[in-house]
Every structure is written in C-alpha cells, then in structure tokens.
Amino acid sequence: MKLRSQVAGCGAYLPERILTNRELAERLDTSDEWIRQRTGIGERRVAASGELTSDLAFRAAERALSTAGMSGSDLDLLVLATATPDNTFPATAAKVQARLGMTGGAAFDVQAVCAGFIFALAVADNALRLGQARSALVIGAETFSRILDWHDRSTCVLFGDGAGALVLKAVSPTTRGGRYILSNHLHSDGRQYDILYVDGGPSSTCSSGLLRMEGREVFRQAVQHLSDVVDEALRANELTGADIDWLVPHQANSRIIDSIGRRLGLPPEKIVMTIERHANTSAASIPLALELAVSDGRIKAGDLVLMEALGGGLSWGASLVRW
Ligand code: ACO
C-alpha cells in the first residue's frame, strides 16, 4: 500500500533570555540600525547556562506531541536536526527519546546545519513512505550561542537559540484533501565547505570550535541555490508560485527571503517571517516559524506550504507540504 506523511502536530520552544541588538551594540562595534538593515534581525534568544540543546528539543517535542494528541510511547521514529549537539556522541535524539518515554523505534541526529530541518523531514518522510515507521517526530534544535565568537561582529549578531518540532503520521494518499508531504528536494556542494564552518571538532582539534563565515559569498550562493530549489520543488509537483499559500523559509537574512518571495511572485503577507524576533536559529528556524503561523491561525489544514533552507556544507533543500 502506498503511504504518505501527514503533519499531525507542531510545537516550539524559545529560551527566556532575550538579547537585543542594542545590548550587543554596547559590547561590540555595531548598531541596531546596521543589524536591522543588513539582516532584518532585532533580537534573539540565548539559552541559560546549563540549558542544553536537548532541553530545548524536549520542550518543543512535548508541545508538538500534545497538539497531535500523542505521547512519546506512540512514536517509532525520532529524527533530530542539530549542529550543536549536547555531546559529540551519543545523538542528542537519544536523550530526547528517553525523556519523552519513547522506548521503541529509532532515534538519531541529522547534521545539515541550517538546512538540517529539511534534511531531517526528508529522512522521516522516506521512512514513513516505506512503512519503516508509522509515526515520527522531527525536531530542529540549536544552541548556536555556544559556538559563536562573541568578538566577531560579522557573525555573532546573526544567530539565536531555539527549537521546533513536527509530528508526522503515515496516511494513505487517498486520504481526503491530499494532506501530506508532497516532495522533498535535497542538495549539497562540499566544495563550499570552507565558506561556512566551525573551526573545531573531535577529529581536527580538542575543542568544539567557533563559527566562521564568508557572509557575502554565502549570501550570493544562498540566493542562487534557493531560487533553483524552489523552482525544482514546484516543477516536480506541476505547481507555480501562484499555488503557494505560505512560504516558510529558513530565517538567515530578510534580504535573501525577500528575493525568494519576489521570484515566486508572492506578496509579503504570504511569507512567514520570524527573523526580527528569533534571528537565525539554524535547524530550528523553520519549525519555529511553522508553529507561530499555525498557532496564530495563518496556516490552516489544506494550505500549500513551501519550506526552503540553506546552510553549511553547503547544503540546501526545499519541502512542499499540503498542511
Ligand atoms: N555591525 C556593523 N558593521 C558590520 C557588522 C556588524 N555587525 N558586520 C560586518 N560589518 C561591516 C564589515 O566589516 C564591512 O565593513 P567594511 O566595508 O569596512 O569592510 C561591512 O559591514 C560590510 O560587510 P559585508 O560582510 O559585505 O556585509 P553584507 O551586506 O554582506 O552583510 C551578512 C553581512 C549579514 C552576514 C550577509 O552577508 C549575510 O546574511 N550572509 C548570509 C548568511 C547566511 O545565509 N548564512 C547561511 C545560513 S547560516 C548556517 O548555515 C550556520
């Protein structure tokens, strides 16, 4: 029997501490005006000391399960996208699995940095389509505040901490309304490894390292690759930009998002933007934005939602979902 993945629930969590541009401008040679104009960011959340990626992930997961009317024991797959795991190993997903009371199935991490949520969603969708799992929890969770060089104004102003999660259930594609993930499109170009990376890791140095980025080059490639991958997703489903109800992009820079919106011919009110309040939360940014737009009533059952993201690797992708 053919199977597809339907979204059954959605949740998110942000740490309490808000760090504003103005506070950053007191410590660094930057300004609220520069950060807003170049990126659209106004503030970001920062995890408390001792608050780990797994803590954020667990809270988002609990909320997603609650909206789905499910508990951890109903799950048979947990895929967690993160570039900031609690430990080098085991997977942060394993810790979250135990805290959720999920005792069966598999739990593992996926690492595609800011594109991680799309990659994790694709992995879970494939497992559900193949009948390897009947229900899955897909989480994007990050504590980027721990890998930032707080003396480097060109990177530390850009990122924030947070987590978001989706619950997926396997359904028959004949289900009324065709509400399921239509397709996922993944790409990587490892030749661009050095334009966005963390300068540490267990195999190369003794420390976990700090984020380094050639921002202008990442920006240029992001606009190109994201334009191409949204076209690819629409073509694969014989759709056009006019069919999209909501664009839910990775929130790296409002100028990148605006250019993708223009390419799709979408008015700004059809684009879910959280960058002003959340900054770039890497793998968490898309599920955080989804949760916001679902809870405030914008995204409704049956809407066509397009998600896209690009991050270190470079890796990028898009997913189309009939919500
Ligand atoms: N405040 C004030 N001035 C700054 C700051 C700051 N926080 N940061 C940089 N500047 C200065 C630079 O030093 C430079 O000064 P100079 O002209 O005297 O040399 C000037 O501003 C312009 O710098 P650019 O880097 O050219 O600025 P740009 O307009 O490209 O904006 C930015 C930088 C915001 C980083 C942009 O390039 C960007 O958003 N890039 C893409 C980021 C992205 O998409 N990342 C992918 C996901 S992240 C992930 O995967 C982990």
Side-chain angles (χ1 to χ4, degrees), residues 190-302:
R191 293 169 300 177
Q192 311 303 326
Y193 194 94
D194 293 338
I195 66 170
L196 175 51
Y197 70 107
V198 166
D199 62 4
S203 169
S204 57
T205 66
C206 295
S207 71
S208 53
L210 299 174
L211 184 146
R212 308 293 173 202
M213 177 167 76
E214 287 176 34
R216 209 177 290 185
E217 183 56 18
V218 174
F219 188 102
R220 195 186 66 74
Q221 296 213 29
V223 171
Q224 182 62 55
H225 292 316
L226 292 171
S227 299
D228 291 346
V229 80
V230 297
D231 284 351
E232 179 187 329
L234 290 172
R235 261 198 325 274
N237 293 282
E238 296 176 358
L239 297 165
T240 70
D243 297 306
I244 304 297
D245 293 302
W246 300 104
L247 174 65
V248 184
H250 169 52
Q251 313 277 323
N253 187 309
S254 56
R255 291 182 290 143
I256 297 175
I257 297 173
D258 291 344
S259 85
I260 305 302
R262 279 195 300 275
R263 178 162 187 115
L264 291 166
L266 288 179
E269 56 275 14
K270 287 195 164 194
I271 304 175
V272 181
M273 289 280 238
T274 56
I275 190 160
E276 204 265 332
R277 307 286 297 280
H278 299 174
N280 179 349
T281 56
S282 185
S285 84
I286 290 178
L288 273 162
L290 286 171
E291 193 277 338
L292 180 73
V294 169
S295 61
D296 69 19
R298 276 180 284 175
I299 297 180
K300 297 185 201 63

Side-chain angles (χ1 to χ4, degrees), residues 30 34 38 113-114 153-154 196 215-216 252-253 255 280 311-312:
T30 189
W34 191 96
R38 298 290 179 119
V113 205
C114 295
R153 66 177 183 174
S154 69
L196 175 51
R216 209 177 290 185
N253 187 309
R255 291 182 290 143
N280 179 349

